[in-house]
Amino acid sequence: MNRPQSAAPQTTTRNPFTLLEYDPIKLLNKPQKVASMFEVRDGTRDYDPLFPLSVELHLTDVCNLRCSWCTDLELRRNLASLPLATVESLFHEFAQHGVGVTIEGGGEPTVYKHFAEVVTLAARYKLDIGLITNGIRPLAPFANQFKWIRVSMDASSADEYLAEKGVQRYGKVRANIAALGAMPDKQFLLGIGYVMTRRNTGRLLEFIEEMDAAGVDYIYLRPVEEMPDLSPDLAMLYELKSQWETTQAAERRIKVLMNLDDRIEKHNEGLPCIAHALSCVIQADGHVAMCEKRRHDPVVFGNVNMQRFSEIWRGQLRKDVSRRLLDPGAQRGCEVCRITKFNRYFVRLGELYTRNFI
């Protein structure tokens, strides 16, 4: 997700975050990439050879929390970390192709021993970087090197935090969020990630108000995935969404995203998967995975510790997979996935009768 190119965000001014930051329409900024994927959809090209728009980069599988619903438990058992030399090689390639880099799990990226050097390298290569973190470690000294920072909070009280995270760090994280929100020269979007379970929605509206007061730009809410015993009642979540949308009319600064529809549809809605070319995951052991949601049939294109990313991305295996994913049946077994909404757009646009009219 890219920060707007206009005036830098300021806590005391208007909120620079708009809902377009999470809307597929922002792909209009990348017409060559979209055209290439349309050619795959229409059968005039076997695969999209252009680099992904953004990459999810796992620096390490080590984590300082024990979330009960963690979807990366298998990865965390590896205890792997990317060599710094590999990270620099990737940044060199990504800078040549304008790729955005989201630094996130497997584990907690800020515990990676070369985390500060990674941030410095990104600045040297003029990369757009974002960060998903649990917020335990202070970030203010180099926060402005990021386009956006999202703190995975997942709790509105100390008791909820301990139940969800397995370790008590609630006060420390709240203090670090407040420090980020109060930065007088803040030049990044500050967000909160909140995985909703049966245990942590009781005072969610009050928590949103508290984050608004702390200078947070947006909060991203989604139900827990792959843990049906912990998943909150869907009707209750829609009611909660309705309540917030009613109160948000009071011109509060914080923006709230609660994308329920995109988080309940499995199997890619039975659509061809064209939009996988928008992103990929580079895991801490160097594997380049197509996505994180294909647990029934993992696709690994190669390993960046052994090959350049460009060789992997344009290799024969990825070409073969791209052709296979045009069959809607190939997605049966996929968990809920944020890429589904992009596939929905691509397919529906291809079905328009009036595509040559405004």
Side-chain angles (χ1 to χ4, degrees):
M1 181 181 64
N2 292 330
R3 188 185 72 219
Q5 297 302 308
S6 55
Q10 294 292 328
T11 302
T12 55
T13 63
R14 70 175 181 85
N15 187 344
F17 181 90
T18 74
L19 299 184
L20 287 178
E21 301 287 352
Y22 273 83
D23 195 308
I25 199 172
K26 72 179 183 180
L27 292 182
L28 291 175
N29 287 311
K30 303 291 184 178
Q32 287 183 303
K33 182 68 173 178
V34 172
S36 181
M37 289 190 292
F38 277 180
E39 290 176 356
V40 175
R41 178 199 66 189
D42 297 337
T44 59
R45 169 174 267 176
D46 283 344
Y47 84 117
D48 168 30
L50 301 181
F51 268 41
L53 294 190
S54 63
V55 165
E56 299 170 23
L57 182 64
H58 296 185
L59 295 178
T60 182
D61 289 331
V62 177
C63 189
N64 49 4
L65 289 178
R66 297 193 296 270
C67 299
S68 58
W69 35 259
C70 178
T71 57
D72 285 332
L73 284 177
E74 290 298 321
L75 293 178
R76 286 176 56 188
R77 293 188 179 98
N78 296 332
L79 298 178
S81 292
L82 273 177
L84 185 60
T86 298
V87 176
E88 180 165 14
S89 175
L90 288 168
F91 283 5
H92 177 73
E93 286 196 85
F94 293 157
Q96 295 175 333
H97 296 271
V99 177
V101 179
T102 299
I103 299 173
E104 55 168 63
E108 165 54 33
T110 62
V111 305
Y112 178 64
K113 64 180 179 179
H114 301 299
F115 181 74
E117 292 98 316
V118 168
V119 177
T120 300
L121 280 173
R124 182 188 306 166
Y125 284 102
K126 296 181 171 58
L127 281 178
D128 283 356
I129 56 172
L131 175 67
I132 299 177
T133 174
N134 60 31
I136 292 175
R137 296 200 171 187
L139 291 168
F142 37 73
N144 278 333
Q145 299 297 325
F146 293 92
K147 292 288 188 180
W148 56 274
I149 296 173
R150 193 169 82 213
V151 179
S152 300
M153 194 72 199
D154 312 317
S156 66
S157 69
D159 289 342
E160 289 178 0
Y161 192 92
L162 184 59
E164 301 297 338
K165 304 289 194 176
V167 177
Q168 187 54 270
R169 298 289 185 271
Y170 184 76
K172 180 178 287 189
V173 177
R174 284 290 297 262
N176 287 337
I177 291 171
L180 292 171
M183 287 177 59
D185 61 339
K186 176 171 166 283
Q187 298 173 21
F188 56 92
L189 292 173
L190 176 59
I192 298 294
Y194 202 104
V195 173
M196 297 178 290
T197 72
R198 294 181 182 271
R199 302 178 296 217
N200 65 3
T201 57
R203 62 178 303 274
L204 188 51
L205 295 180
E206 292 88 342
F207 176 75
I208 293 172
E209 299 283 356
E210 292 164 8
M211 293 297 97
D212 191 18
V216 171
D217 299 313
Y218 72 98
I219 182 167
Y220 179 73
L221 305 161
R222 63 177 178 87
V224 66
E225 300 170 6
E226 304 174 43
M227 295 281 291
D229 291 343
L230 284 179
S231 184
D233 179 69
L234 197 58
M236 182 273 290
L237 293 182
Y238 276 109
E239 174 61 25
L240 193 67
K241 183 176 182 180
S242 176
Q243 290 177 26
W244 173 253
E245 288 173 346
T246 300
T247 59
Q248 189 160 260
E251 297 184 359
R252 290 181 176 82
R253 184 180 182 280
I254 195 170
K255 300 295 190 299
V256 178
L257 297 91
M258 189 186 289
N259 293 334
L260 299 179
D261 295 340
D262 288 338
R263 293 295 177 172
I264 59 176
E265 292 290 344
K266 296 185 178 182
H267 315 304
N268 194 44
E269 291 186 358
L271 300 171
C273 188
I274 304 156
H276 70 273
L278 291 172
S279 186
C280 69
V281 183
I282 299 178
Q283 298 170 346
D285 60 4
H287 284 150
V288 179
M290 187 186 80
C291 70
E292 294 181 301
K293 302 301 180 182
R294 202 173 177 85
R295 304 188 197 284
H296 66 295
D297 178 26
V299 175
V300 174
F301 296 130
N303 192 296
V304 292
N305 290 320
M306 294 178 273
Q307 288 178 279
R308 291 174 57 83
F309 181 84
S310 57
E311 296 171 354
I312 296 170
W313 191 248
R314 293 167 179 158
Q316 187 60 48
L317 176 57
R318 187 167 166 268
K319 295 177 184 178
D320 294 342
V321 168
S322 180
R323 286 191 292 268
R324 178 159 62 93
L325 295 183
L326 290 175
D327 175 8
Q331 280 64 257
R332 181 158 297 281
C334 288
E335 293 293 336
V336 292
C337 179
R338 66 189 180 119
I339 293 298
T340 297
K341 65 181 178 182
F342 293 98
N343 283 319
R344 191 185 303 133
Y345 269 78
F346 288 150
V347 172
R348 288 177 180 174
L349 286 172
E351 294 171 345
L352 289 176
Y353 287 101
T354 58
R355 67 171 68 187
N356 293 326
F357 298 84
I358 61 170

